[in-house]
Amino acid sequence: MDRIRIVGGQRLNGTIPISGAKNAALPLMIASLLTEDTLILDNVPRLVDVVQLQRILGNHGVDITIAGKRPGDDPNSGRTLHISAKTIVDTTAPYELVSKMRASFWVVAPLVARMGEAKVSMPGGCAIGTRPVDLLIMALERLGAEIEIEGGYVIARAKNGLRGGEINFPKVTVGGTHTALMGAALAHGTTVIENAAREPEIGDVADCLNKMGAKISGAGTSRIVVDGVARLHGARHAVLPDRIETGTYAMAAAMAGGDVLLQNARPELLQAALDVLVRAGATVTPTNEGIRIARNGAGLEPVEVTTAPFPGFPTDLQAQLMALMTRAKGTSHITETIFENRFMHVQELARLGAHIHLDGETATIEGVERLKGAPVMATDLRASVSLVIAALAAEGETMVNRVYHLDRGFERLEDKLARCGAAIERISS
Ligand code: EPZ
C-alpha cells in the first residue's frame, strides 16, 4: 500500500491548479443514466472514486470512453468522459460495488425514473458516522415509488413512472436533494423540493440536467421546482472547480506560509472558509485566475467555527481547519454539526503533538508552538489530508499511511504540493 512521506518546514510558493469537483463529478456521471443519448462531461478529476463509479455504471450497461488529450490542451485540465447509457442491461447495483462508495447509492433515482425499477444495496463509504438513507427513500416515496427493503437492498418500483410531489426535507441533505432532482426530472407533473441543499454541486447538477432538457428552477436556493419531462437528451457540461480541494490547499498554504495561487478556484464557492482563513491571519486575494493565499511570518490567530450546510463552513473542511489551528496562538473551538463521528483525525493529530480535547460535537484545540513528525494513518479522505497539512508544519518526517483514502478525492496531491516547494513524496509498495 502506498505511503506519503513529508518533511515539514518548507514554505509553499507557486501555483496549484484546482481540479473538477469530486462531489459534482459523481452525481453528474450518475445523471447519465437518465438518457439514452451521450452525456459529455469535461473537467472530470482523475480520482479513485471516479474509477469506482465507472465500474458501477459499467455494471448497468453504461459505456464510458475517455477522450485523449490533444496537442495544445491544458495538461492540468481534467478528463473528458463520453458516457452513454443507451441500453441499461441491469437495474441492480450489488453490495460488492456500492459498499465501496456511498454516492453510488444515488443510482437508485435515475434507474427507477427511467426503467421503473431499481435494486440497490444499502451504501458504505467513509467511516464518519452512521449515514442513513431514510431521507432519500422518503424523497422517492413522495415521487410515487414503492419501496421495499430486503436483504440489505433497497428495491424501488414505479411501473408507470414517477409522478411529481411535494418533498419537504426535515434536514438538509445533499444526497437527498440529488435523488429528488434526478427522480423529479423524469416524473409526470411538478415537484417542489423544500429545504433543499444549496451546495454548489447541486446547482452544477441542475445546470447539467437543464442542458439535457430538464425544467428545474431555484437550484442553489432552498426551494427547487421541477417540471417533469418525458425524456432527456444528451448534453455537454464541464464539472465546476472543487471547493473542498481549494479550501484544503488554502489551509495548507496558511499552515506552511508562503504565497500560492489556487488556479481556477472560485471564491463564491467557499466564502465561509475564506472568511475563517482571513480571521486566522491569511491574506486572501481573488484574482482573474483564481484565489491567492499568502501568509508571512506572523503567527496564526485562533478561531471559533461551527460546520453547517452551504453557505456555512463545510464539514468537508473541518479536519483541515483543525490541523491548521493546532499551531494557532491560543485556543480554538470547532463544532461539527453534520456528522456525529467525524473526529477520527484527532488522535492522529495528537501523534504529531497537537493538543485537542473532544467534548461531544465540539473540539477544543490549544495551539502549540511546534509539531513533530511521526507515522500516522487515517480512516477517511478529509482526515487523511488534515494529516498532510499538519505534517507540512511539523519538524522532521511524517509518514502518512493508507494513502488510498487521499487518492479517492485528491488528484495528484503530492505532485501539486511538491511543485510549490513542499518536501513530499509518494513511496509505492
Ligand atoms: C455529501 O454526502 C458529500 N458527498 C459529503 O462529502 C459531504 O460531507 C456531505 O454531503 C455534507 O456536505 C458527496 O457529495 C459524494 P448528506 P451526503 O445527505 O449526501 C443525514 C467527502 O468527504 N442524513 O448531506 O451523504 C446524514 O447522516 C464526503 O467528500 C440522514 O439523516 O450527506 C448527515 O448527518 C463525505 N438521512 C446529514 O443528513 C438521510 O437519508 C447530511 O448528509 C441522508 C442524510
Side-chain angles (χ1 to χ4, degrees):
M1 219 177 277
D2 288 4
R3 293 176 296 164
I4 284 185
R5 179 175 173 270
I6 300 160
V7 179
Q10 307 296 321
R11 293 166 80 79
L12 297 179
N13 285 293
T15 297
I16 297 182
I18 297 302
S19 300
K22 168 180 85 81
N23 288 349
L26 300 177
L28 285 166
M29 289 169 71
I30 289 172
S32 70
L33 289 167
L34 287 164
T35 176
E36 291 171 16
D37 298 347
T38 301
L39 176 64
I40 304 176
L41 294 178
D42 294 308
N43 202 30
V44 177
R46 295 167 186 77
L47 297 172
V48 170
D49 270 8
V50 167
V51 174
Q52 179 63 19
L53 184 57
Q54 281 174 231
R55 261 187 222 126
I56 289 164
L57 293 175
N59 188 62
H60 296 299
V62 177
D63 250 5
I64 302 184
T65 53
I66 298 169
K69 286 256 179 256
R70 286 187 304 257
D73 283 354
D74 177 359
N76 292 320
S77 70
R79 294 203 279 206
T80 295
L81 265 45
H82 291 245
I83 311 178
S84 164
K86 191 171 178 44
T87 317
I88 291 179
V89 296
D90 193 344
T91 53
T92 299
Y95 172 78
E96 304 77 70
L97 294 175
V98 180
S99 58
K100 297 211 173 81
M101 185 176 53
R102 178 176 167 88
S104 54
F105 183 79
W106 301 345
V107 298
V108 67
L111 285 176
V112 71
R114 182 168 149 205
M115 306 300 291
E117 60 170 39
K119 181 177 174 188
V120 180
S121 168
M122 306 284 267
C126 281
I128 57 177
T130 51
R131 298 176 69 187
V133 288
D134 54 322
L135 300 176
L136 284 68
I137 290 173
M138 180 276 278
L140 292 169
E141 283 178 334
R142 299 310 303 245
L143 295 173
E146 280 167 31
I147 305 287
E148 244 182 274
I149 296 174
E150 204 184 276
Y153 280 79
V154 174
I155 304 163
R157 288 192 189 90
K159 285 288 167 237
N160 301 315
L162 295 174
R163 51 179 157 70
E166 290 265 325
I167 303 172
N168 193 342
F169 286 112
K171 183 174 193 176
V172 175
T173 155
V174 172
T177 306
H178 282 311
T179 300
L181 270 183
M182 290 193 218
L186 280 187
H188 305 285
T190 299
T191 299
V192 179
I193 308 169
E194 301 279 4
N195 199 25
R198 290 183 281 163
E199 270 63 8
E201 294 75 23
I202 299 284
D204 205 38
V205 170
D207 281 351
C208 178
L209 291 173
N210 281 339
K211 287 180 194 167
M212 294 163 72
K215 295 206 165 84
I216 300 169
S217 58
T221 74
S222 52
R223 185 172 193 270
I224 304 179
V225 179
V226 186
D227 285 322
V229 296
R231 74 176 288 277
L232 294 174
H233 51 72
R236 181 163 199 156
H237 182 81
V239 180
L240 93 170
D242 196 317
R243 64 194 165 99
I244 304 302
E245 190 196 24
T246 305
T248 300
Y249 289 124
M251 299 210 193
M255 185 66 150
D259 190 337
V260 172
L261 172 68
L262 304 172
Q263 199 175 32
N264 304 324
R266 284 172 30 196
E268 73 277 13
L269 301 182
L270 71 160
Q271 200 52 56
L274 296 177
D275 291 346
V276 169
L277 279 167
V278 169
R279 294 208 303 272
T283 307
V284 176
T285 318
T287 75
N288 287 342
E289 282 179 273
I291 306 173
R292 255 185 70 195
I293 306 281
R295 186 171 73 79
N296 56 23
L300 289 160
E301 298 298 326
V303 295
E304 307 279 316
V305 168
T306 298
T307 62
F310 192 84
F313 187 92
T315 173
D316 290 349
L317 285 174
Q318 179 257 106
Q320 297 89 319
L321 178 66
M322 196 177 301
L324 183 63
M325 288 299 111
T326 60
R327 290 287 313 281
K329 295 179 297 184
T331 303
S332 305
H333 295 102
I334 303 180
T335 302
E336 170 60 56
T337 66
I338 309 291
F339 294 111
E340 81 272 23
N341 191 24
R342 205 172 197 180
F343 283 127
M344 309 297 264
H345 41 287
V346 168
Q347 68 193 44
E348 297 302 302
L349 288 169
R351 283 175 190 275
L352 299 173
H355 288 181
I356 304 171
H357 171 73
L358 274 183
D359 184 9
E361 57 184 23
T362 299
T364 302
I365 306 113
E366 274 173 49
V368 293
E369 196 109 309
R370 41 166 58 180
L371 297 173
K372 217 163 172 321
V376 287
M377 75 165 75
T379 45
D380 91 72
L381 160 63
R382 312 303 177 186
S384 314
V385 86
S386 78
L387 300 174
V388 172
I389 292 175
L392 290 174
E395 286 171 9
E397 178 184 300
T398 297
M399 191 70 84
V400 182
N401 294 294
R402 294 209 190 158
V403 167
Y404 64 87
H405 283 297
L406 286 173
D407 295 336
R408 288 188 51 199
F410 290 93
E411 185 175 359
R412 300 186 293 113
L413 171 113
E414 67 278 13
D415 185 39
K416 290 186 183 188
L417 285 171
R419 279 166 190 265
C420 290
I424 180 168
E425 62 174 339
R426 179 181 290 254
I427 299 170
S428 302
S429 51

